[in-house]
Amino acid sequence: MFYKLYFPFNLGSGNRGCEAILRGTLKTLHEDVRGVFVLDKNNDEKELDIFLGLDEYCAISTTDRIKDANKFELTLRKWGKKIGFGKGWFDYYPYKRFLSSTDKESLVMFTGGDLYCYEKMALKLAEVNMRLKKRAIKTVLWGCSVDKSALVNDKVRNSLRKYDFIVCRESITFNTLKEAGVEKVMLCPDPAFVLDPEPTELPAFYENKDIIGINVSNFVHGNVGFDTIFGKNLLKLVEYIIQNTSFNIVLIPHVFWKNQDDRIICRAVYEKFKEFGRVFLLETEKMNYCQIRHAISECRFFIGARTHSMISAYSTCVPALALGYSVKSVGIARDIGLPEQLVVNYNDVKHDDELVGAVEYLLQNEETIRALLKEVMPDYCKSAYMAKDVLEKIM
């Protein structure tokens, strides 16, 4: 079975998680795919996509709402916004040209992981899906996490029932959708679990194998100060590691988008502690997802805010603590069989020593956690291929 794949919501490789989902999906389905078409809405990232080698696997398109629009569409958009008319059309418009070439041999994959955890984005996906279904185009919500809060909207709920199939990457989402009356749904690990680390030369500070890798993202709307409760936790954590262990710390950025740039907070932590000679910043801008996975696999422990950085740790059996902020972190850890102490919601921390307590648990239970991962991960990763059979039936 050969078919064309369209990815309108991949968002771009500036988030290495988006790159991971795309690579993992193509590895899972490669024998069945005739053409792959990816929309990167971040126009300035097309060169990055090519640098990372994605153009070897797919045709990459970009969109510019103003540049690609004709005069009539621009005028309609301008006045429609003013009077509140045609909101659904405006939600669909950025994807219109990219999806115009879809046909009965096409499968449109709605990726992005947790896009249905945010109501505004969920409404946009719902609009695009409904318009495609009117043309009888096959659609799949792929590797998703869905928060209950998004289901309060009737349009979102109805749209979820219109997908030809939904593949959930963790059981919390699977149960949520079943309870909401969504029938065509299955549970299957995130496609990134099928990927392998790509060996790459690492800096000299990796010669000491006793490394704790840390990935953190902006924690209060881009605020990189340390006066928030999570900021204080982060400082106490680094101080604890330096004062009470012999481990080096390597900060590993995973997302490079404006307003979400991991490098900003990682660099701020590095600058604050670099004088100790045990805190390092890994320059990951020019590393693809699988190369970053290699860097994470070389750590003895890992602490990560970004879901796909955690997937790298889990899949390479590195004992890890998730700084979770949605159902995806809790759900994935639970499905693997990890104890709840290994997920800390950084939006809910109330005391400035909660991260230290969680890391103490991680260090004290290293061998038990590693043994669990080594036992579970081979079959868990292999099960990510299950969804392929479902897609073949759909097509």
Side-chain angles (χ1 to χ4, degrees):
M1 179 69 68
F2 295 89
Y3 44 90
K4 297 182 289 184
L5 294 183
Y6 286 78
F7 293 83
F9 291 99
N10 184 254
L11 299 181
S13 297
N15 182 330
R16 293 300 193 271
C18 296
E19 178 200 348
I21 291 172
L22 182 59
R23 285 187 187 275
T25 301
L26 298 184
K27 183 175 180 180
T28 304
L29 305 176
H30 72 282
E31 293 176 353
D32 293 330
V33 176
R34 184 163 49 121
V36 181
F37 307 91
V38 179
L39 179 65
D40 189 336
K41 285 184 64 186
N42 297 289
N43 288 2
D44 57 344
E45 286 186 7
K46 186 167 183 180
E47 288 185 9
L48 172 63
D49 295 333
I50 293 172
F51 175 81
L52 296 176
L54 293 179
D55 61 321
E56 297 176 21
Y57 308 99
C58 51
I60 301 167
S61 301
T62 57
T63 181
D64 187 319
R65 299 184 188 192
I66 302 301
K67 187 177 179 181
D68 289 349
N70 62 41
K71 190 173 181 180
F72 171 76
E73 289 173 329
L74 285 175
T75 303
L76 185 62
R77 179 179 178 80
K78 177 181 176 182
W79 289 103
K81 263 192 165 182
K82 283 188 176 182
I83 64 175
F85 172 75
K87 184 180 184 306
W89 186 87
F90 296 127
D91 281 341
Y92 179 68
Y93 174 70
Y95 312 94
K96 176 184 173 187
R97 182 167 298 181
F98 176 72
L99 293 170
S100 63
S101 59
T102 52
D103 55 32
K104 64 180 181 180
E105 295 182 351
S106 303
L107 178 62
V108 180
M109 315 234 1
F110 286 64
T111 59
D114 58 349
L115 295 181
Y116 267 97
C117 290
Y118 314 104
E119 186 177 5
K120 184 177 180 181
M121 194 65 196
L123 285 168
K124 185 169 288 190
L125 269 68
E127 183 67 32
V128 175
N129 185 38
M130 287 180 172
R131 287 176 181 264
L132 286 169
K133 297 316 296 177
K134 286 179 181 178
R135 294 173 47 213
I137 303 298
K138 293 180 174 64
T139 62
V140 172
L141 181 57
W142 180 253
C144 69
S145 293
V146 177
D147 195 272
K148 281 185 177 179
S149 62
L151 300 182
V152 300
N153 189 291
D154 289 340
K155 181 176 180 178
V156 172
R157 271 202 317 277
N158 292 334
S159 170
L160 286 167
R161 296 187 183 105
K162 289 183 181 295
Y163 285 103
D164 289 274
F165 215 81
I166 298 177
V167 180
C168 309
R169 61 180 170 182
E170 32 74 22
S171 56
I172 296 177
T173 291
F174 178 79
N175 293 329
T176 295
L177 294 180
K178 280 293 189 182
E179 291 168 8
V182 181
E183 300 287 335
K184 299 176 182 178
V185 59
M186 75 176 293
L187 177 62
C188 185
D190 188 292
F193 275 102
V194 306
L195 296 172
D196 298 313
E198 181 182 325
T200 187
E201 186 175 352
L202 296 172
F205 52 75
Y206 261 90
E207 292 175 4
N208 176 356
K209 295 295 183 182
D210 280 343
I211 291 172
I212 296 181
I214 299 180
N215 162 259
V216 282
S217 59
N218 56 319
F219 38 85
V220 182
H221 305 299
N223 178 12
V224 294
F226 296 103
D227 55 349
T228 65
I229 187 67
F230 181 78
K232 292 173 183 176
N233 263 268
L234 190 56
L235 292 185
K236 277 205 168 186
L237 172 62
V238 176
E239 290 168 357
Y240 170 82
I241 294 171
I242 291 173
Q243 294 170 8
N244 296 280
T245 78
S246 60
F247 294 114
N248 285 344
I249 296 171
V250 176
L251 297 153
I252 305 177
H254 210 262
V255 174
F256 311 94
W257 285 338
K258 186 178 180 181
N259 301 323
Q260 289 193 48
D261 195 335
D262 292 356
R263 291 171 296 185
I264 297 173
I265 180 60
C266 287
R267 193 172 291 123
V269 175
Y270 168 71
E271 292 294 335
K272 198 165 187 68
F273 292 99
K274 65 181 180 181
E275 64 187 53
F276 291 95
R278 289 173 53 198
V279 179
F280 305 94
L281 177 62
L282 183 63
E283 302 291 341
T284 52
E285 299 93 327
K286 299 300 183 181
M287 297 171 70
N288 67 35
Y289 175 78
C290 294
Q291 290 169 335
I292 296 175
R293 174 167 291 192
H294 170 69
I296 291 173
S297 73
E298 291 293 308
C299 298
R300 185 165 163 185
F301 299 95
F302 186 72
I303 303 164
R306 300 294 185 177
T307 299
H308 283 88
S309 72
M310 287 300 299
I311 288 174
S312 286
Y314 292 149
S315 63
T316 56
C317 300
V318 175
L321 172 70
L323 304 179
Y325 50 91
S326 69
V327 296
K328 57 186 178 181
S329 301
V330 178
I332 292 172
R334 182 183 297 173
D335 292 347
I336 291 171
L338 295 168
E340 61 183 17
Q341 292 93 326
L342 293 180
V343 181
V344 175
N345 187 331
Y346 67 64
N347 288 322
D348 289 343
V349 291
K350 295 177 175 59
H351 308 289
D352 60 9
D353 59 354
E354 288 186 42
L355 275 187
V356 169
V359 169
E360 284 179 336
Y361 179 89
L362 177 69
L363 301 183
Q364 290 165 7
N365 293 275
E366 174 184 4
E367 294 308 319
T368 302
I369 298 166
R370 195 185 305 278
L372 185 151
L373 290 171
K374 286 183 176 180
E375 179 183 355
V376 170
M377 291 317 299
D379 287 340
Y380 184 85
C381 294
K382 194 181 298 181
S383 67
Y385 287 95
M386 291 189 307
K388 179 179 178 180
D389 294 336
V390 173
L391 298 187
E392 287 179 348
K393 290 177 182 177
I394 290 171
M395 296 307 295

